[in-house]
Amino acid sequence: MTDSSRQVNKWLITLTVMIPAFMEIVDTSIANVALPHMQGSLNAGTEEITWVLTSYLISNAIVMPMTGWLARVFGRKHFLMACIVTFTVASLLCGAAPNLGCMVFFRILQGAAGGALIPMSQAIMMESFPPNEGGMAMAIFGIGAMFGPVVGPTLGGWITDNITWRWIFYVNIPVGIVAIIMVNAFVFDPPYLKKQRSQIDYWGLALLTLGIGALQIVLDKGQQEDWFSSSFITSCSIVAAVSLIMLVYAELQHPHPVVNLRLFKDGAFASGNCIMFMVGFCLYGSVVMLPLFLQTLMGYSATMAGLVMAPGGCASVIVMPMVGAYLKRGDGRKIVLCGLLLGAWSLYLMRGFTLQASFADFMWPRVLLGAALGMIFPPLARMTLANIPRVEMGNATGIYNLLRNIGGSVGIAVSATLLTRLSQFNQANLSAQVNPYNPLLQSKLAALQQAAMSRGADLATARKVAQEIIYRLVRREAAMLSYSYIFWIIGMSFLAIIPLLFFLRKPRET
């Protein structure tokens, strides 16, 4: 770095880059709980309003892998400040959006600006700490990354219930202003990362935009559109596959590619990204399924579901600094292995959930999962990026974060599809037991019917009420079995990652 940047305390730089990164992570999830309220204000249908989320994710995913290239073209400090300014202004416009069309457009701008914030923040932190403290740097970054998804839905729900949904965007404005001031004061471009004037990779830009955009649409809308029975999803899948295959060829041929795929020649980087893809699959799949289970089957409110999830984020925050301290002298692969085993165990406990489980029964597996993720993220990031040249760090962190997000999108899509299919399958199987020849069923029906009649219902009404109660019980049990199987699959996925650890190496300290 330049002389002026060397004099800046590394903790000041850490605080500076964590503010915009945390803001972006929170915004990824904060809008979820406000969709029903937006729907009425923006005069949108149930399916239309989900584009508020989808548009953000698509533009976010497109920009993320080209972060390193954009930073070299425009200069990292100027590009980072431009992204924060755009994100803040877009947040203001989202809050003031008069209709759905404007909201989707402003969310695209917000997502595009936010897509670069996390990779650049991660790259700057990797440079600000000496190599032997790289694990601590990633632990600190991981605290913000894990705390954001906990704060987002809780904060979004409170703001929506007590003020108005528009303020979930307005709260970014003061945070963005503080971030701009601090980046201008404390972040500087290193001497090796100067603005570069080179041939623009137009094919790479076009194919990346088309391929990642189409893929994100498929993953986000696939279950809603019944996957390949929809011509729209089929067309998007073909576009994504062809574009991404052509992208690989184009980027390997171009001297200055938008996405430097040659980084995958490094074994640690390649295997680390594969592991992160699978960790994203497990993380997002479980984090989406658990609140859904609590709210749809257990009758928990959004606030209560958030209270179940929050201790997991707190466990990550507690564990990560200890992991970072250990990594100064220990082997990160051992910590990742312990994290994967602990994650599998937590999902095994979730597999045992019942409809009679208590709040504590739900909370403790989530605490274990949070601790597991706190053991996985810092050492994995450090080992994956250990051999990457500094000049390519922005590119590497962009790819790394993109694969985590795509893994998460795949995890959510697979979990949602399994939930729908398995619920139908289990309900059909359980319904087969609902017949006149089942003595337990007839006894239960008689008891329910008698209870309804004791409250003043006539015989026909009482019989109908009893049948409706049995039908609801069958649906709940079918859904319970489906969630249990999904938790088991996610837990097995944690174990399936373990063989990839053999391809990682302990970073050489210099």
Side-chain angles (χ1 to χ4, degrees), residues 246-287:
M246 292 177 65
L247 176 67
V248 172
Y249 176 79
E251 297 305 88
L252 292 177
Q253 299 299 315
H254 201 282
H256 303 287
V258 170
V259 184
N260 187 5
L261 299 178
R262 298 180 183 90
L263 294 176
F264 283 95
K265 291 181 180 179
D266 179 68
F269 183 76
S271 57
N273 274 282
C274 290
I275 294 173
M276 180 47 69
F277 176 90
M278 290 300 300
V279 170
F281 176 95
C282 298
L283 167 62
Y284 286 88
S286 60
V287 165

Side-chain angles (χ1 to χ4, degrees), residues 466-477:
Q467 290 171 345
E468 288 177 351
I469 292 174
I470 292 295
Y471 176 68
R472 287 198 297 269
L473 288 174
V474 168
R475 290 190 64 185
R476 287 189 73 205
E477 289 294 339

Side-chain angles (χ1 to χ4, degrees), residues 99-331:
N99 53 56
L100 181 63
C102 291
M103 171 62 84
V104 170
F105 177 72
F106 298 146
R107 283 285 280 177
I108 290 173
L109 289 179
Q110 190 187 38
L117 293 179
I118 294 180
M120 279 197 289
S121 298
Q122 199 170 23
I124 292 170
M125 284 193 66
M126 286 289 289
E127 293 178 359
S128 302
F129 285 72
N132 67 326
E133 296 181 11
M136 181 60 73
M138 289 300 96
I140 296 168
F141 187 86
I143 290 173
M146 293 303 301
F147 204 56
V150 174
V151 172
T154 307
L155 179 63
W158 186 88
I159 291 174
T160 302
D161 291 339
N162 294 278
I163 310 177
T164 171
W165 66 263
R166 296 185 183 275
W167 274 94
I168 67 177
F169 298 109
Y170 291 151
V171 293
N172 289 330
I173 297 171
V175 179
I177 292 172
V178 171
I180 292 166
I181 295 171
M182 294 187 70
V183 169
N184 185 55
F186 302 127
V187 174
F188 301 91
D189 282 349
Y192 62 82
L193 194 64
K194 298 298 182 181
K195 293 182 182 179
Q196 296 181 358
R197 295 188 179 275
S198 58
Q199 181 184 358
I200 297 178
D201 181 13
Y202 291 108
W203 275 108
L205 285 169
L207 293 170
L208 178 66
T209 302
L210 198 59
I212 296 296
L215 176 62
Q216 192 64 52
I217 290 174
V218 170
L219 294 175
D220 195 53
K221 296 290 185 181
Q223 170 57 29
Q224 182 180 314
E225 300 288 337
D226 199 21
W227 294 104
F228 299 111
S229 62
S230 164
S231 58
F232 174 67
I233 294 299
T234 302
S235 300
C236 286
S237 300
I238 294 171
V239 169
V242 173
S243 298
L244 293 176
I245 291 171
M246 292 177 65
L247 176 67
V248 172
Y249 176 79
E251 297 305 88
L252 292 177
Q253 299 299 315
H254 201 282
H256 303 287
V258 170
V259 184
N260 187 5
L261 299 178
R262 298 180 183 90
L263 294 176
F264 283 95
K265 291 181 180 179
D266 179 68
F269 183 76
S271 57
N273 274 282
C274 290
I275 294 173
M276 180 47 69
F277 176 90
M278 290 300 300
V279 170
F281 176 95
C282 298
L283 167 62
Y284 286 88
S286 60
V287 165
V288 167
M289 285 294 109
L290 183 54
L292 196 61
F293 166 78
L294 294 172
Q295 293 180 71
T296 58
L297 292 188
M298 302 304 300
Y300 280 35
S301 65
T303 303
M304 285 296 292
L307 290 175
V308 172
M309 302 298 289
C314 295
S316 297
V317 170
I318 294 171
V319 168
M320 282 184 178
M322 294 187 288
V323 171
Y326 171 83
L327 291 175
K328 289 184 179 180
R329 58 187 181 278
D331 189 345

